């Protein structure tokens, strides 16, 4: 029997955005109407998850300033990407403040003009020949991760006649099991578009929005090179059950 | 303890970072080939089992359908399952013939199907001591889905185990239970199981909270 002495703090579904959030129009046909089926007791199927320590990273998988130019089909033709150079860093911790080591953190983003390198993105801003927009890394022993990239630009999208996404980086974290799996977005401190964004506004509690804001950290910036933004990720906390049949 | 990225809180426990939709371009980050982008040397993708893996090699396929009955062409899915002996293999390593974790996406072409190449999982014990019927955990991410939907795929040809499964049998409605059962098909001498996931409305798939 696997992992029966393990369980996680219940996910607060009022803190996360609801499935049905009509201000974000695509959620209307894509949200279940039935209540979620609750599992009275999580099983090994939910309490286990992948460990990516043996996934072989490329030397610049966490460096978006360099990783796209390594694409062999470009034969070294790509230069450095356009835009504000930034370091994005932080810690992955659980709800008890315990670091989550060796966990996979992945991210993707638009370029400085607000366009994604995706075949379906036809926004009029140009693609940047030096920028792919994807990174991944594993946290270290203390749960730290770090990426080097450029600040993505805001872009318009067809939700309302004049909806704009604030600058944001999509962030994906695994945590110790599939119960801790989380995809979110890091927004940038002080961005006036944050309170106007229908996707941000799927969240009811302003304190929950604050958990998605990357903070400018001048002490960690690199003079004459990169500004730094700190973004800590909190995944579900693991409870130990000391008694059988608790 | 100070809540990261936030104002101090008097609560003893930190709140989870809030979820956001994976958006329409999740593929550039987590499904690079599906975005039409160059891939890295090692990617997490849908070949969970290779020849040489213990157990029966199968393909699992399906579509994702929205409340209007239309195909969701930009969905991204993750799979987590036990090996043929009913044991989870947490160590993800592409050198191994089987990995418990895999990823797939619906496609932008006409059929818009996701697909996993894997082995049929063995039964896993429930904390009650009963065995759960063989199943694959699936998480569905897409534009318009604010936090991933979690479901389970069970197998049509495991009727007896399905009837005895302590998780499946807890779903009150027998009609809704059927939304988790993949249909067996044989194509080109290969066994394939199909599960179409309905996000909303008639035939809505059962999604779990855990």
């Amino acid at each position: 029997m696997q992992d029966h002495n393990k369980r996680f703090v219940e996910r607060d579904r009022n803190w996360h955005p609801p499935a049905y959030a009509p201000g974000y129009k695509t959620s209307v046909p894509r949200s279940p109407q039935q209540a979620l089926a609750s599992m009275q007791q999580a099983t090994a199927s939910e309490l286990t998850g992948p460990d990516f320590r043996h996934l072989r990273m490329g030397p610049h998988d966490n460096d978006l300033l360099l990783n796209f130019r390594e694409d062999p089909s470009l034969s070294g033709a790509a230069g450095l990407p356009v835009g504000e150079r930034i370091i994005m860093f932080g810690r992955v911790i659980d709800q008890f403040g315990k670091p989550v080591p060796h966990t996979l953190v992945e991210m993707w983003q638009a370029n400085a003009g607000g366009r994604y390198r995706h075949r379906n993105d036809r926004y009029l801003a140009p693609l940047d020949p030096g920028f792919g927009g994807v990174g991944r890394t594993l946290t270290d022993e203390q749960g730290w991760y770090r990426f080097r990239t450029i600040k993505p630009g805001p872009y318009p999208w067809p939700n309302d006649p004049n909806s704009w996404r604030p600058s944001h980086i999509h962030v994906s974290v695994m945590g110790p099991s599939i119960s801790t799996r989380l995809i979110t977005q890091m927004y940038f401190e002080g961005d006036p578009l944050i309170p106007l964004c229908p996707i941000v506004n799927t969240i009811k509690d302003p304190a929950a929005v604050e958990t998605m804001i990357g903070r400018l950290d001048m002490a960690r910036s690199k003079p004459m090179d990169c500004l730094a933004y700190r973004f800590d990720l909190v995944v579900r906390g693991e409870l130990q059950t000391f008694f059988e049949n608790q | 303890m100070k809540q990261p990225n936030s104002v101090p809180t008097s609560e003893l426990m930190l709140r989870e970072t809030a979820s956001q939709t994976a958006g329409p371009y999740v593929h550039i980050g987590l499904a690079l080939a599906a975005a039409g982008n160059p891939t890295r040397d090692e990617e997490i993708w849908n070949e969970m089992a290779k020849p040489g893996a213990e157990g029966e090699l199968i393909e699992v396929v399906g579509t994702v359908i929205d409340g209007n009955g239309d195909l969701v062409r930009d969905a991204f899915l993750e799979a987590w399952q036990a090996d043929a002996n009913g044991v989870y293999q947490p160590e993800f390593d592409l050198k191994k013939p089987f990995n418990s974790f895999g990823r797939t996406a619906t496609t932008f072409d006409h059929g818009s199907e996701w697909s996993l190449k894997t082995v049929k999982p063995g039964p896993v014990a429930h904390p009650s001591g009963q065995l759960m019927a063989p199943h694959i955990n699936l998480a569905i991410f897409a534009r318009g889905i604010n936090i991933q939907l979690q479901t389970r795929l069970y197998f049509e040809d495991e009727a007896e185990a399905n009837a005895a499964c302590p998780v499946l049998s807890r779903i009150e409605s027998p009609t809704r239970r059927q939304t988790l059962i993949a249909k067996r098909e044989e194509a080109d001498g290969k066994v394939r199981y199909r599960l179409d996931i309905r996000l909303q409305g008639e035939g809505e798939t059962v999604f779990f909270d855990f």
Side-chain angles (χ1 to χ4, degrees), chain A residues 11-13 15 18 24 28 30-31 34 37 45-46 51 56 117 181 184 187 210 215 232 234 236, chain B residues 5 15-18 20 37 42 67 78 88 90 103 135 143-144 146 152 200 204 207 209-210:
Chain A
R11 187 161 253 169
D12 181 352
R13 294 206 173 252
W15 179 256
Y24 173 25
V28 172
R30 294 185 172 191
S31 46
Q34 301 281 338
S45 299
E46 295 78 38
D51 174 342
R56 200 156 40 88
R117 186 169 290 281
R181 181 83 180 92
T184 186
Y187 300 97
E210 293 294 314
R215 304 284 169 193
D232 289 341
V234 180
R236 289 172 72 180
Chain B
N5 318 317
R15 308 297 295 265
E16 205 182 349
T17 302
Q20 293 276 263
N37 289 353
E42 290 196 352
E78 286 183 347
Y88 284 95
R103 287 174 165 176
H135 64 274
R143 175 173 70 103
N146 292 322
R152 283 183 172 198
Q200 187 186 86
E204 183 178 301
F207 299 107
D209 189 14
F210 55 74

Side-chain angles (χ1 to χ4, degrees), chain A:
Chain A
M1 304 237 279
Q2 300 174 340
D3 294 287
H4 289 164
N5 60 342
K6 194 167 147 186
R7 62 192 174 100
F8 287 94
V9 173
E10 197 183 331
R11 187 161 253 169
D12 181 352
R13 294 206 173 252
N14 295 317
W15 179 256
H16 291 291
Y20 175 76
Y24 173 25
K25 291 177 183 166
T26 321
S27 78
V28 172
R30 294 185 172 191
S31 46
Q33 291 166 327
Q34 301 281 338
L36 299 177
S38 36
M39 223 168 263
Q40 285 210 316
Q41 244 178 326
T43 75
S45 299
E46 295 78 38
L47 297 176
T48 52
D51 174 342
F52 293 107
R53 258 173 281 190
H54 297 281
L55 181 69
R56 200 156 40 88
M57 303 279 157
H60 298 125
D61 275 5
N62 70 340
D63 188 348
L64 285 75
L65 300 187
L66 299 180
N67 65 18
F68 190 65
R69 69 200 311 189
E70 287 158 6
D71 175 16
S73 69
L74 302 171
S75 46
L80 289 171
V82 173
E84 291 175 53
R85 296 158 62 91
I86 63 168
I87 292 163
M88 170 190 179
F89 76 103
R91 268 180 116 188
V92 181
I93 55 176
D94 74 8
Q95 288 178 283
F96 301 105
K98 191 162 64 79
V100 183
H102 316 299
T103 200
L104 182 64
V105 181
E106 295 163 281
M107 56 84 111
W108 67 98
Q109 62 169 98
N111 66 27
R115 179 155 167 193
Y116 289 89
R117 186 169 290 281
H118 188 292
R119 55 178 162 191
N120 290 354
D121 189 354
R122 300 199 178 87
Y123 179 38
L124 52 76
L127 280 173
D128 181 340
F131 192 67
V134 55
R136 65 179 180 184
T137 190
L138 294 177
T139 56
D140 70 11
E141 286 294 331
Q142 280 78 43
W144 290 99
Y145 74 90
R146 182 180 190 274
F147 292 103
R148 196 164 71 140
T149 185
I150 52 95
K151 186 176 176 185
Y155 57 86
W157 60 298
N159 191 64
D160 292 304
N162 198 16
S163 280
W164 290 74
R165 295 297 334 272
S167 294
H168 65 278
I169 295 177
H170 295 267
V171 187
S172 158
V173 62
M174 193 72 222
S177 87
I178 65 161
S179 289
T180 54
R181 181 83 180 92
L182 184 74
I183 290 184
T184 186
Q185 300 180 26
M186 181 190 92
Y187 300 97
F188 291 81
E189 178 175 15
D191 188 334
L193 291 171
I194 294 172
L196 305 181
C197 175
I199 289 179
V200 173
N201 290 332
T202 57
I203 292 179
K204 292 179 202 131
D205 190 334
V209 173
E210 293 294 314
T211 67
M212 305 187 299
I213 311 278
R215 304 284 169 193
L216 180 66
D217 185 337
M218 290 307 288
R220 301 306 209 304
S221 70
K222 280 187 77 178
M224 307 305 288
D225 185 343
C226 283
L227 284 173
Y229 285 87
R230 177 163 181 172
F231 185 56
D232 289 341
L233 289 149
V234 180
V235 298
R236 289 172 72 180
E238 191 179 315
L239 293 161
Q240 297 294 333
T241 56
F242 296 102
F243 304 102
E244 293 260 18
N245 306 318
Q246 187 181 337

